[in-house]
Amino acid sequence: ERAEENTGAVQHVGFYIYQDYRKAFHPHILKALYMPLLFLSPAVVSLAFALVFHKFWLPILLYIPCYEICKSLIDALFSSCLKGEYAPRMRVTEALLDENKTLLVLSTMIASMEDVKPLSVRLGDLFYKTSSNNIGICVLADLKAAEFPELLEDQAVLSALKQEVVRLNETYGSHFTVLVRPRRYSKTQENYSGFDRKRGAICELTRYICGEEVSFYLAEGNLAFLRECKYMVALDSDTVPLLETVPELVSIAAHPLNKPVVDEEHGIVVSGYGIFVPQISSDLKSVQRTPFAKIMGGQGGIHAYDPVSPDIYQDLYHESIFAGKGLIDIHLFYRLACNLFEDETVLSHDILEGSLLRTCYIPDVEFLDSFPPTAVSYFKRQHRWMRGDAQNIGFIGRTIDTKM
C-alpha cells in the first residue's frame, strides 16, 4: 500500500525492504564514528610518540605513516561490523533490451602498426565475453604524441585499423566501431596529442553519442548503434571484463531502485546511481611476470569462491569511488559532467565525476587489470594517483562554475 502511494524508486516494493536491511546491518553510529576516528587516531598515536621521546616535531613526521596504519585497522574493524550489500538487479535477459543498449569502450593509444593486430585479437575476445545484439564494442583511440599534427605513418596505421574493424564486422556481425581522434596542440604537454587524454576522449565520445558534431581522423563501423546507446562501460587498454560481467552491470543499472535522481538546482545525483564500478583484481599473468609483481601484486586471478569483497565507503555511506573503469549512464554524464571542468586542468577527474553522478560499488562483479611489472612503473603509477588526489583537495567545499 505504501508503494502504491508513491512514485519512482519509492513505488518499488524493494525500496522498503532495503530500508529495513540498512537499518539492521548499517547502524548510523558507525557512520558518525568513522571519519573522526580516521583522522584523530593517527594524531593521538603520533602525539604519544612525541611525549614518549620528548620530540615535539615527531607528530609532523609520523602523522601520515600512522594514518596509513590506523586506516587499515579501522577499515578492518568497521568491515567486520558491516554486512556488504548485494545490489538489486534485474534478470539479464530483461535488462538487455533495446532501451538499454550498451557500448563497451576500450580507450587505448595506437603507437605503430604493431599495435593493430593484438588490438584486433583483444576485440574478438571481448565479443565472446559480452556477446549480445544490444552490446557494441568501440575502440576509442589516440595516436602517439608528436611534434606535428600529422605524421607520415598515420595513414598506414589508420588504414590497418579500418581493415581490421571491417573484417571483424564481417566475421561477427556489426558489433565493432573504431574512433581515432585527431591530434591537437596541448599547452601543458607542449606537443600534439589526443585532447585532454582519456577524459577528453570519453567526453568527445559522449558528445557524439548525444548528437553533437565531433571530428575524428577515422570513424569506421556501426556508427548508428552508438547514438542509440544508453550506457557505456569504460575500460582501459589492459582491463579485462570476465565472462558475462558487462550484462550483469547493465542489469544492475536498469533496476528501478538504482535509477539516478538529479537535484537540478545543484546539478548532482542525490539518490540512485549514475556510475557502477566492479571489483578490480590483478590478472594472474601480470602478477607472475616478475619477482617484484609476485611480491607486490598478491595472489592475482579470479576469486570465484571468495566472500563478497568489502568497500568501506559503499558499506557505510552507500556510495563509492569511481576510478575510471565501470558502467556510466551516458546522457546523465553528458548533462552533469561533460562541460564541468576547464580543459587540461584536472588530472584525476574520475573521483570528481563519480561524486557528481554517485558511484555504486558492485563487489560480486569482477574485472581484471594488469599489475606494474617493475618498481619504477609501480611508483610512477602511485605518483600519478597521488598528484591527482592532491589536486582534488582544492575542490573540497568549493563551488564549481560550469561552462553550460
Side-chain angles (χ1 to χ4, degrees):
E1 291 176 1
R2 290 169 65 189
E4 290 176 355
E5 295 170 359
N6 293 286
T7 58
V10 186
Q11 193 175 22
H12 195 282
V13 67
F15 177 84
Y16 301 96
I17 296 172
Y18 257 72
Q19 266 194 336
D20 293 339
Y21 174 89
R22 285 176 170 173
K23 285 177 183 177
F25 293 106
H26 301 85
H28 287 289
I29 186 65
L30 294 180
K31 187 187 296 187
L33 284 174
Y34 180 73
M35 283 299 177
L37 275 176
L38 192 61
F39 290 103
L40 290 177
S41 56
V44 171
V45 173
S46 55
L47 283 171
F49 275 102
L51 292 172
V52 170
F53 294 101
H54 305 288
K55 305 289 185 182
F56 69 91
W57 44 264
L58 270 180
I60 300 171
L61 294 179
L62 293 180
Y63 183 83
I64 292 178
C66 288
Y67 172 85
E68 290 296 324
I69 296 169
C70 291
K71 186 179 188 307
S72 299
L73 295 173
I74 291 168
D75 285 358
L77 175 64
F78 274 66
S79 295
S80 67
C81 300
L82 296 166
K83 188 174 178 65
E85 287 190 357
Y86 185 79
R89 63 201 71 193
M90 301 175 67
R91 291 190 182 92
V92 171
T93 52
E94 295 176 358
L96 284 176
L97 303 176
D98 289 344
E99 61 265 27
N100 292 326
K101 287 182 178 178
T102 301
L103 188 65
L104 197 62
V105 180
L106 182 65
S107 299
T108 188
M109 178 176 288
I110 306 296
S112 66
M113 290 283 289
E114 285 70 30
D115 295 332
V116 175
K117 194 62 182 178
L119 178 62
S120 176
V121 173
R122 173 88 193 279
L123 294 176
D125 182 56
L126 285 175
F127 171 78
Y128 284 118
K129 289 178 178 177
T130 61
S131 56
S132 166
N133 290 332
N134 287 326
I135 297 179
I137 301 171
C138 175
V139 177
L140 185 57
D142 287 333
L143 299 172
K144 65 180 180 181
E147 295 181 2
F148 305 98
E150 297 185 15
L151 299 179
L152 292 175
E153 60 264 30
D154 287 351
Q155 288 305 316
V157 173
L158 296 176
S159 177
L161 272 173
K162 182 176 180 178
Q163 289 177 12
E164 285 299 323
V165 169
V166 169
R167 183 186 66 80
L168 287 167
N169 281 330
E170 289 174 351
T171 304
Y172 300 108
S174 298
H175 292 279
F176 300 91
T177 307
V178 61
L179 301 173
V180 181
R181 299 193 301 158
R183 296 186 186 91
R184 289 168 57 179
Y185 185 72
S186 169
K187 293 180 181 179
T188 57
Q189 302 296 317
E190 297 184 342
N191 60 24
Y192 287 90
S193 55
F195 172 67
D196 213 1
R197 293 176 293 188
K198 182 183 175 182
R199 179 178 188 274
I202 294 293
C203 283
E204 288 189 316
L205 173 60
T206 301
R207 292 187 183 106
Y208 180 81
I209 292 172
C210 293
E212 291 190 24
E213 291 297 323
V214 180
S215 62
F216 295 101
Y217 262 164
L218 173 66
E220 179 64 38
N222 191 356
L223 299 175
F225 179 86
L226 268 60
R227 289 191 162 166
E228 298 172 356
C229 289
K230 182 176 181 179
Y231 303 115
M232 76 165 71
V233 177
L235 304 176
D236 289 342
S237 57
D238 56 352
T239 309
V240 180
L242 300 182
L243 185 67
E244 299 300 331
T245 50
V246 172
E248 192 72 19
L249 282 178
V250 177
S251 74
I252 296 167
H255 195 280
L257 291 182
N258 297 322
K259 293 290 183 182
V261 177
V262 178
D263 180 339
E264 298 292 348
E265 181 182 352
H266 296 97
I268 59 172
V269 175
V270 292
S271 67
Y273 302 96
I275 296 176
F276 299 83
V277 296
Q279 177 189 168
I280 304 292
S281 304
S282 298
D283 76 84
L284 192 59
K285 285 184 180 179
S286 69
V287 298
Q288 297 293 321
R289 194 179 305 162
T290 63
F292 174 82
K294 287 181 181 179
I295 294 169
M296 298 294 292
Q299 182 179 354
I302 304 168
H303 307 96
Y305 299 106
D306 276 5
V308 169
S309 173
D311 179 84
I312 192 69
Y313 303 109
Q314 183 69 42
D315 295 342
L316 268 181
Y317 304 106
H318 315 301
E319 185 176 351
S320 191
I321 296 172
F322 181 44
K325 295 175 272 283
L327 183 143
I328 303 170
D329 185 313
I330 294 173
H331 294 276
L332 190 66
F333 184 86
Y334 178 72
R335 283 173 56 199
L336 302 184
C338 246
N339 300 305
L340 194 60
F341 307 109
E342 292 295 328
D343 300 333
E344 296 192 330
T345 58
V346 180
L347 182 65
S348 185
H349 53 88
D350 306 324
I351 293 176
L352 301 175
E353 292 159 355
S355 298
L356 291 167
L357 274 67
R358 289 192 92 231
T359 300
C360 181
Y361 173 70
I362 312 298
D364 57 308
V365 175
E366 188 174 8
F367 286 5
L368 299 180
D369 214 350
S370 64
F371 190 84
T374 65
V376 173
S377 58
Y378 175 82
F379 284 110
K380 279 184 177 179
R381 185 178 73 169
Q382 293 295 112
H383 177 252
R384 187 173 68 251
W385 289 351
M386 288 175 67
R387 281 176 59 207
D389 291 345
Q391 186 188 55
N392 287 342
I393 292 173
F395 288 94
I396 297 174
R398 172 178 159 192
T399 300
I400 303 172
D401 295 325
T402 70
K403 295 184 288 184
M404 296 182 68

